[in-house]
Structures are given as C-alpha cells and as structure tokens.
Amino acid sequence: MVKRTHLRVAAAVALLVCAGIVGAAYLSRPTSAVTDATGESARVAPANGTTVIATDSNTWLGRESDGPRANAELVAFGADGERRYYDDSHTRYWDVDPVEGTNATVEYLYADHLTPEECGGESACTRNGIERVNLTTGSVEGVYSRVTAGKHSTRWHDGDRLSDSTYVVADIAADRVFVVNTTTDIVEWSWDAQAAFDPATTGGPYPSDWTHLNDIEVLESGLIQVSLRNHDRVVYLDRETGLVENRTLGNGSHGVLYEQHNPDYIENPTGDDAVLVADSENNRLVEYRDDDGRWVRSWHWRDAQLQWPRDADRLPNGHTLVTDSNGNRVFELDETGEVVWSVPIAFPYEAERLGTGDESAGGPPAHELGLRNQAAGGSTVGDGGPSQSSVLPGPVVNAVYYVLPRWMGVAELLVSCLGLAVGLAWAAAELRWLPYRVSLTNPVSLRKRK
C-alpha cells in the first residue's frame, strides 16, 4: 500500500530534479553575447574573414526587459577568432552593411526605446537611426535618425546606401520604402505598400503591423527588393513605375514563404538568378531560382537546432552564413551542408562577412553549386516541404522562444510546468489530508473531518 510518506518523498524528489534542471540552465547562461561579461577576452573559432553580428536582444533577460543589460549587442570577430569590436549602447541592432571602399567600416540600423519624457508625453516611442563605425578605431558617426511613435512594430530593420548622400530605408512603421538625402534630410522618393496591396485582404493587423516591412536590397539592375513579412512575399520595386508585376516571390501561401527575413538576391552572370531566404516560421533556409520568370524552389536546409532563422547569405566561396535567432548561434555551412564554423550568441538578427560585399555579393546560387536538400537531423531529402523537429508547429515554438528569457528553452519550460503541476498536486493533497477542513461560512472556521 502506498503511504502518504512515499507520495511526499516522490513529490519532493520530482521537485528537486525539476529545480536542478532549470537551475543548471540558468547558471550556465551566457552573461554577454560572447559568453564573457566584460567582453575583453571573448574569442571564437577562426573564420575566413571578419564577421560582424547584430543582436536583437540582451543576452539572458526577456526581449523587452528594462533591467540590467537591457541593450542588445553589436560584435565583430576577426579572421583569427579574436573579438575585434563590441558595443551595447543601443536597445536593438538590426541590419549591418560594409561601407564600400573600406575594409573596416560598417553602417548599421539601430533602435532606442525612449522615456515618456523624451517622447513628449507619449507612453512609448522609438528613435530609429543609422550609424557608421570604424571597427578598428571605434569611431562612430551618426548618419540619419527619426523618432516614431510606439516601439514593437515601428523599429526600422533595414536600409541600403544608394550613394554618398542618399539612403533607402525600409520604413516598417509606415509600411513604406523611402529614399532620403542624409545631408539635407529631404525624402526624395517613397513607395507606400497600399499602392499595391489592400489592407482589408492582405497582411497582418492594420494599421498596427500590416506589412512588417523588414528588409530591402538595392539590386545591380536598380530595382529594389523588399520583404513584406506579414504578406509572406518578396516584391520588387521600380522607382519610376512602382511594383514590378509578375515578379513577386510568394503568394501568401505558407508553403512558399512564412514570415521571412532578409532575402538575399543572388546575381548570376552565367545563368538564372536566385533568392536565398531565411524562411523564419518554416524554420528553414530556402532558395528559389528565377526559371524564365518563374520562381522555382532549388534548395532548402535545416538541422535539428535551426529555430527561427532570420538571415542567410551565400558567400563567394559557396558557403552559406546563417543567423539562427532562436537557436542562439551564427554559423557557416559548406557545400555539403556541414557546419564548418559556429559562434554561440544570444538572439542574433543579422551577420555579415566583411570582404564579401554587401549581403555577400558574388556568391553562386544553389542550383549551380549542386547543393543537396537537408531536413532536420541531417538527412538529405528530396524536394519536399519544411520539416519540423518538434511535435508543435514551428510558429508555436517560435512564439514560446520569443517571450522566454534567453537562457530558457522549450525543455526548461516543460520541466518548469511539470514542477509547478507536481507542487500544486502536492499542496492539494496536503490540504485533503488535513484533519480539519476549512469552512467558508461567515465567519470562516475550521471543522474536524468526519
């Protein structure tokens, strides 16, 4: 016969095991993006060039924490693996681009959450800006900035330099793309997504987060490639005529793209062009080739750890540089699909390999490299859809990761829930075993059980 003592011991052991698992995860958390609280001696494996990484969160607190180390991080590692640059002065870091004609200077977009006093009495607002930094000297120069109301879906994620004095911006707050003269602050051209799409039938909630316009890229042809995340589409703009008809990648079907980030257009002088996409909610990397005006899937890849990737660049040597946001890493794949370089880093947004051009221009497309498709677990597969390593849908797992502290994964969350359930069951049993019961009469009294 099972005695109450046995049940109590079992419950206590279960709680201790749960606490041990969660406690071990917390104690092993990184205290900075590069697992070094001071950042003075951070080092990773050597790589083929300097890698610059922008993060979208502080390292172990929740994403919107206002506590200690609430800012995100911008870090660069040299080819020898030594940390070359570090900065955590902004709330969020986004797109990073090398400055043409330099070998140590980048421009990046940032977002700073301002106080109600700085917002003129509004409860929340954001300073969105562009800065330029020399990674060797640490000299920072402001390029352009504007304050927008709110924060979550108003933070500019991407921009691209058109000339010495003009910059094109993905204005996520206003669902538009605009070109600004950074010397005069005059907006010289803009395109509003409502010129091509109906808010009543497309995208996310309007007007709060309709397009989530999160990426742009100026192509050699002069066209501007734009990622409309909440439309599950990548579109192409002509500054004279607007949306290029019959050129859009994606049609709203989640089997093609599902809330993608950072599409990388691959110019191919010897054949078909291609687009490499971090297909975020499908938890995969996917590439489409332009087959005589038709987008055809030519490659997809994922492993068991890949979770909500938000950037993928094809390097000139045929490797692929990947930013795995919920996987808390940036890594490099070779042509066989093997990870040949990796750095653990908390919630990265984008990575650039200096010396390979903006978004790694010059990388060959998958169909010319003969890249093999890979599903979770490392198996090579045919031309199928995205595979999941979890019994839960990808968006559900990604949403859980999004709100959890950086050090807590789904396993730790499940263990925490199990511990809570055991604790509540134990407490209920102890109340049931009391020789007295609580009577909710007025006044409240204890009555001996019969």
Side-chain angles (χ1 to χ4, degrees):
M1 180 179 178
V2 178
K3 297 182 178 180
R4 295 177 183 179
T5 302
H6 297 156
L7 294 175
R8 286 170 175 144
V9 169
V13 170
L15 288 176
L16 286 174
V17 171
C18 291
I21 293 173
V22 176
Y26 175 79
L27 293 175
S28 63
R29 74 194 186 283
T31 52
S32 83
V34 290
T35 69
D36 186 309
T38 65
E40 294 300 324
S41 60
R43 191 179 191 282
V44 300
N48 187 22
T50 296
T51 308
V52 187
I53 303 171
T55 77
D56 177 19
S57 176
N58 62 317
T59 56
W60 62 273
L61 297 169
R63 283 179 44 82
E64 298 300 332
S65 171
D66 295 319
R69 296 195 57 79
N71 286 349
E73 297 161 304
L74 181 69
V75 61
F77 298 101
D80 58 0
E82 295 289 343
R83 200 200 68 178
R84 187 173 178 184
Y85 179 81
Y86 180 88
D87 181 54
D88 63 352
S89 59
H90 294 297
T91 309
R92 297 287 185 271
Y93 292 92
W94 306 104
D95 178 62
V96 178
D97 290 322
V99 174
E100 189 176 359
T102 73
N103 56 17
T105 302
V106 298
E107 288 180 334
Y108 57 86
L109 278 84
Y110 69 87
D112 285 329
H113 298 164
L114 305 181
T115 65
E117 292 76 18
E118 293 172 310
C119 296
E122 297 291 332
S123 59
C125 66
T126 301
R127 179 174 298 280
N128 292 295
I130 307 160
E131 288 183 337
R132 174 181 291 196
V133 61
N134 183 301
L135 300 174
T136 302
T137 66
S139 175
V140 177
E141 173 189 356
V143 175
Y144 179 75
S145 69
R146 281 292 179 270
V147 174
T148 59
K151 57 179 183 178
H152 298 283
S153 297
T154 68
R155 300 178 290 219
W156 299 347
H157 287 24
D158 194 16
D160 223 348
R161 181 161 292 284
L162 285 172
S163 69
D164 288 343
S165 60
T166 56
Y167 208 93
V168 58
V169 177
D171 188 355
I172 192 173
D175 300 310
R176 66 169 182 162
V177 176
F178 69 88
V179 174
V180 63
N181 186 309
T182 57
T183 302
T184 64
D185 285 356
I186 294 175
V187 173
E188 300 179 343
W189 174 85
S190 67
W191 174 83
D192 193 315
Q194 289 192 59
F197 297 95
D198 182 357
T201 58
T202 59
Y206 180 84
S208 59
D209 192 17
W210 178 45
T211 62
H212 204 93
L213 198 159
N214 61 12
D215 185 79
I216 58 172
E217 183 178 343
V218 180
L219 309 184
E220 290 182 9
S221 64
L223 295 181
I224 300 174
Q225 175 183 269
V226 179
S227 170
L228 303 179
R229 192 200 75 173
N230 284 357
H231 287 62
D232 306 307
R233 290 173 172 88
V234 178
V235 301
Y236 296 85
L237 306 179
D238 185 304
R239 290 179 64 184
E240 297 294 330
T241 60
L243 182 73
V244 179
E245 299 291 342
N246 302 319
R247 182 65 175 160
T248 298
L249 168 58
N251 55 12
S253 167
H254 292 165
V256 180
L257 295 175
Y258 194 178
E259 295 192 2
Q260 73 287 338
H261 287 79
N262 283 308
D264 180 21
Y265 194 88
I266 301 175
E267 307 270 3
N268 183 21
T270 62
D272 296 341
D273 292 350
V275 180
L276 172 61
V277 189
D279 193 8
S280 305
E281 292 291 9
N282 280 327
N283 294 318
R284 65 176 178 177
L285 313 177
V286 66
E287 186 169 317
Y288 292 90
R289 66 184 291 187
D290 181 0
D291 184 10
D292 197 23
R294 232 176 17 104
W295 292 112
V296 178
R297 187 166 63 197
S298 53
W299 179 66
H300 64 266
W301 184 97
R302 67 160 293 154
D303 64 5
Q305 186 178 343
L306 191 71
Q307 200 73 46
W308 210 44
R310 289 194 292 172
D311 188 28
D313 296 341
R314 180 65 39 71
L315 304 178
N317 64 358
H319 292 191
T320 306
L321 185 66
V322 183
T323 301
D324 184 7
S325 291
N326 277 336
N328 295 312
R329 59 177 175 161
V330 171
F331 62 95
E332 181 179 341
L333 293 174
D334 68 9
E335 297 94 323
T336 69
E338 294 297 317
V339 175
V340 296
W341 177 86
S342 181
V343 53
I345 188 164
F347 209 56
Y349 181 77
E350 195 196 45
E352 282 283 319
R353 179 67 54 78
L354 298 190
T356 65
D358 187 1
E359 307 295 341
S360 299
H367 62 271
E368 289 204 352
L369 287 169
L371 300 186
R372 302 177 69 186
N373 297 327
Q374 179 173 303
S379 60
T380 55
V381 296
D383 186 25
S387 65
Q388 302 291 341
S389 59
S390 170
V391 295
L392 297 175
V396 174
V397 177
N398 291 332
V400 170
Y401 271 115
Y402 191 84
V403 299
L404 288 179
R406 293 297 100 208
W407 57 269
M408 180 178 279
V410 172
E412 288 77 21
L413 176 62
L414 293 176
V415 170
S416 298
C417 292
L418 176 61
L420 179 62
V422 170
L424 291 175
W426 188 3
E430 291 291 352
L431 287 175
R432 182 70 183 85
W433 293 335
L434 285 175
Y436 296 90
R437 63 184 178 89
V438 178
S439 174
L440 298 180
T441 57
N442 189 15
V444 176
S445 63
L446 290 177
R447 296 182 181 180
K448 191 171 183 178
R449 294 184 184 276
K450 295 180 181 179

